[in-house]
Amino acid sequence: MAPHSESKPQQILPPYTRRGFIALTTLAASCTQAPPLSNTPVPRRVPPTDPRQSMATDSYGPTPRNPNLSLDSNFNRRAGITFTRVPVNGKFIALTFDDGPHPTNTPRLLNILRERNVKATFYVIGRSVNLYPQILRQTVAEGHEIGNHTQTHRLLSKLSDSEVLNELRRCRDSIAQASGATVRTMRPPYGGLLPRQREVVHAELGYPTILWSVDPLDWKRPGVGVVSSRLIQGASDGGILLAHDIHAPTIDAMPATIDSLLRRGYQFVTVSQLIAMKSEASAAHATATTSNS
Ligand code: NI
């Protein structure tokens, strides 16, 4: 009558297996993994930055507001094929959100951005656009930029050229049908797009590939404070900040993140505005400084 003493000393495997499964599915569901940098800036005509923009460094109210920026976003398509950041003269930065629209988190984020007059760039998945077209329309109506994040979020580096272009064209069409918005840039899921594929995408669709300079790994849910501090500490002039508007804690991190960056003098612009501001002097400097690495 001592069944327990006869039981096998196992029962260790199932929990580990389950944990492994969760880790795997978490990994599969998110974008990560920056590929190697390949910034090859090309000199181009540069619109001057607007001298009317004054940074509100003396404003320490509860909700700092981004200045009203009327910047050119008609960047030259030859400006570059891949961007992880953009050399600019000034404290300009782009906030980007991937994988939406999301039915509750995206609207909550839009409220936070609106209060601060911050315009962001949303790399949306066409499949989600088709599910939540009204949220995309609201995003566009509030002045944000929409980027192409493919129709079904597959790893493009494993696909043929025609499959890659099909993923991007379907997403472009989903966006246009839902909102009428024109897409200027793309971001590959997981950052996975081979240099040769980037050239094909640029030649066929005119999209530069937009990666990022700061990845807070928010999809791993490290906590609101960690997401916020990683973004703030990683910020730099011309930086592109990556986040995901499908995760509630990421949205929770945004007020403190944005307020801190505004108080540090950063001005938020969209990705295509940032590219349009690309400075020849900075580009030359960036080329010189990155040639050693
Ligand atoms: Ni993604």
Side-chain angles (χ1 to χ4, degrees):
M1 297 309 168
H4 293 294
S5 64
E6 293 170 11
S7 62
K8 290 163 280 179
Q10 22 65 328
Q11 307 302 2
I12 294 168
L13 214 54
Y16 281 98
T17 304
R18 198 176 307 124
R19 197 174 305 160
F21 175 74
I22 291 168
L24 272 174
T25 51
T26 305
L27 188 64
S30 45
C31 300
T32 48
Q33 288 283 330
L37 306 186
S38 67
N39 252 345
T40 45
V42 176
R44 56 176 295 277
R45 187 184 63 79
V46 180
T49 55
D50 188 342
R52 291 168 298 174
Q53 297 150 11
S54 60
M55 289 181 286
T57 48
D58 56 347
S59 164
Y60 287 87
T63 304
R65 279 175 64 83
N66 202 43
N68 290 317
L69 301 171
S70 53
L71 299 170
D72 182 15
S73 62
N74 291 308
F75 61 87
N76 187 323
R77 285 184 171 184
R78 298 178 62 84
I81 291 181
T82 302
F83 291 94
T84 53
R85 57 179 298 279
V86 181
V88 296
N89 293 317
K91 300 193 75 170
F92 295 97
I93 202 160
L95 190 50
T96 67
F97 296 95
D98 286 12
D99 296 356
H102 184 279
T104 56
N105 291 323
T106 305
R108 200 155 63 85
L109 173 62
L110 292 176
N111 291 340
I112 292 165
L113 297 174
R114 189 188 321 109
E115 284 175 357
R116 293 160 176 79
N117 193 35
V118 166
K119 307 304 180 200
T121 305
F122 290 78
Y123 286 96
V124 297
I125 299 172
R127 189 175 52 194
S128 300
V129 167
N130 292 342
L131 289 173
Y132 310 110
Q134 175 54 36
I135 294 172
L136 187 76
R137 282 195 286 277
Q138 184 187 350
T139 306
V140 171
E142 298 197 7
H144 302 290
E145 180 172 348
I146 307 300
N148 191 324
H149 198 45
T150 74
Q151 185 68 14
T152 65
H153 207 266
R154 297 170 72 190
L155 180 59
L156 300 181
S157 56
K158 301 282 190 189
L159 303 185
S160 69
D161 287 355
S162 65
E163 288 173 311
V164 168
L165 294 171
N166 187 45
E167 276 282 334
L168 292 166
R169 287 186 174 121
R170 287 173 65 204
C171 181
R172 175 196 64 192
D173 293 345
S174 295
I175 292 167
Q177 188 176 5
S179 69
T182 301
V183 169
R184 299 180 186 279
T185 68
M186 69 84 66
R187 173 174 284 157
Y190 318 101
L193 193 62
L194 304 172
R196 188 193 62 75
Q197 293 177 304
R198 295 176 196 175
E199 291 180 15
V200 170
V201 167
H202 189 258
E204 292 293 324
L205 298 173
Y207 297 148
T209 295
I210 308 300
L211 301 171
W212 51 83
S213 62
V214 186
D215 179 2
L217 302 175
D218 60 325
W219 57 274
K220 289 186 177 179
R221 299 180 178 248
V224 171
V226 172
V227 170
S228 188
S229 67
R230 284 175 179 168
L231 288 170
I232 292 165
Q233 286 166 18
S236 61
D237 295 2
I240 300 172
L241 308 184
L242 171 66
H244 296 83
D245 58 326
I246 53 171
H247 301 308
T250 297
I251 313 302
D252 296 335
M254 283 305 122
T257 303
I258 294 169
D259 291 353
S260 174
L261 291 172
L262 284 170
R263 290 194 174 105
R264 289 166 193 235
Y266 283 104
Q267 300 182 66
F268 290 88
V269 297
T270 68
V271 165
S272 66
Q273 284 178 325
L274 196 64
I275 292 173
M277 295 166 67
K278 189 167 126 181
S279 120
E280 290 185 30
S282 297
H285 178 255
T287 304
T289 53
T290 54
S291 60
N292 295 329
S293 58

